[in-house]
Amino acid sequence: DAGVIQSPRHEVTEMGQEVTLRCKPISGHDYLFWYRQTMMRGLELLIYFNNNVPIDDSGMPEDRFSAKMPNASFSTLKIQPSEPRDSAVYFCASSLRLAPWNEQFFGPGTRLTVL
Amino acid sequence: AQTVTQSQPEMSVQEAETVTLSCTYDTSESDYYLFWYKQPPSRQMILVIRQEAYKQQNATENRFSVNFQKAAKSFSLKISDSQLGDAAMYFCAYRSAGKSGSRLTFGEGTQLTVNP
């Protein structure tokens, strides 16, 4: 299996622009997670899905952030409009709930820079 | 809510020596999982080792082992025979085993330097 795939790996944009981050989970995994990593706040969960349905979005910082999972093999995290404080590394992870360890497999992350 | 604390922002070790990274957590749950993840400069989060709370035996994976003290809510990582490739940021993480517990809660991380 190719693992969790994220695109793009790097994104540089200007303040006010729309940004879309993409994620393809491991085939068969029914949980998908979006995390954000910053120096100030560390790694924090933004939202997670179970069987394509958002379960907990309490970590989404504000209305400018939205996430969708239209099918089992694709998810997006959108920021509109983007701000410099959104600069961070965004990770997508997936897991198989019934696995005894409930291990989360992480993608390589997208480094977002908002100028 | 659960919290995870790593009190050592940075640690260093000589190649071939042993180093221990500390982690404490706070929870009212009795069943949960604990993890150590490694994040090298490539940014990829890699699972190093994991422990189920109901298992008293400490987990071991080759040169990596943990000291799990459930009563003290402590979960330290020991790296034996340190190698240059072990240099990375290490994160301790908690995950509930309960129905609603699918999120990972991470500590602040410990940056490990391995000196040749």
Side-chain angles (χ1 to χ4, degrees), chain A residues 9-10 31 33 35 37 43 45 48 56 58 89 91 95 97 100-104 106-109 111, chain B residues 33 35 37 39 42-45 47 50-52 55 91 95-104 106:
Chain A
R9 291 295 308 276
H10 305 274
Y31 276 76
F33 307 81
Y35 290 90
Q37 185 178 31
L43 269 159
L45 178 69
Y48 77 89
D56 183 353
S58 60
V89 179
F91 288 98
S95 73
R97 179 68 176 93
W101 289 108
N102 296 331
E103 178 181 348
Q104 292 187 16
F106 284 77
R111 180 178 292 280
Chain B
Y33 301 105
F35 305 86
Y37 278 88
Q39 187 180 37
S42 66
R43 288 201 319 251
Q44 183 78 47
M45 294 287 285
L47 180 66
R50 52 205 173 189
Q51 174 83 39
E52 293 181 7
K55 287 188 176 179
F91 292 94
R95 186 171 185 181
S96 171
K99 189 176 179 181
S100 62
S102 291
R103 64 168 60 213
L104 276 169
F106 288 91

Side-chain angles (χ1 to χ4, degrees), chain A residues 72-108:
Chain A
S73 59
F74 184 66
S75 177
T76 60
L77 178 67
K78 185 176 294 186
I79 308 172
Q80 166 64 22
S82 58
E83 296 182 3
R85 59 193 169 119
D86 302 330
S87 298
V89 179
Y90 291 82
F91 288 98
C92 177
S94 69
S95 73
L96 186 59
R97 179 68 176 93
L98 295 179
W101 289 108
N102 296 331
E103 178 181 348
Q104 292 187 16
F105 294 84
F106 284 77

Side-chain angles (χ1 to χ4, degrees), chain A residues 5-17:
Chain A
I5 299 172
Q6 290 187 249
S7 64
R9 291 295 308 276
H10 305 274
E11 176 79 33
V12 180
T13 190
E14 293 188 346
M15 182 173 63
Q17 297 297 306

Side-chain angles (χ1 to χ4, degrees), chain B residues 5-45:
Chain B
T5 302
Q6 293 177 248
S7 58
Q8 306 155 316
E10 298 176 347
M11 291 284 285
S12 63
V13 63
Q14 290 296 125
E15 196 175 3
E17 308 239 317
T18 296
V19 64
T20 298
L21 308 184
S22 301
C23 173
T24 58
Y25 58 94
D26 188 25
T27 184
S28 59
E29 299 175 329
S30 59
D31 196 14
Y32 47 87
Y33 301 105
L34 295 166
F35 305 86
W36 278 97
Y37 278 88
K38 170 185 177 181
Q39 187 180 37
S42 66
R43 288 201 319 251
Q44 183 78 47
M45 294 287 285

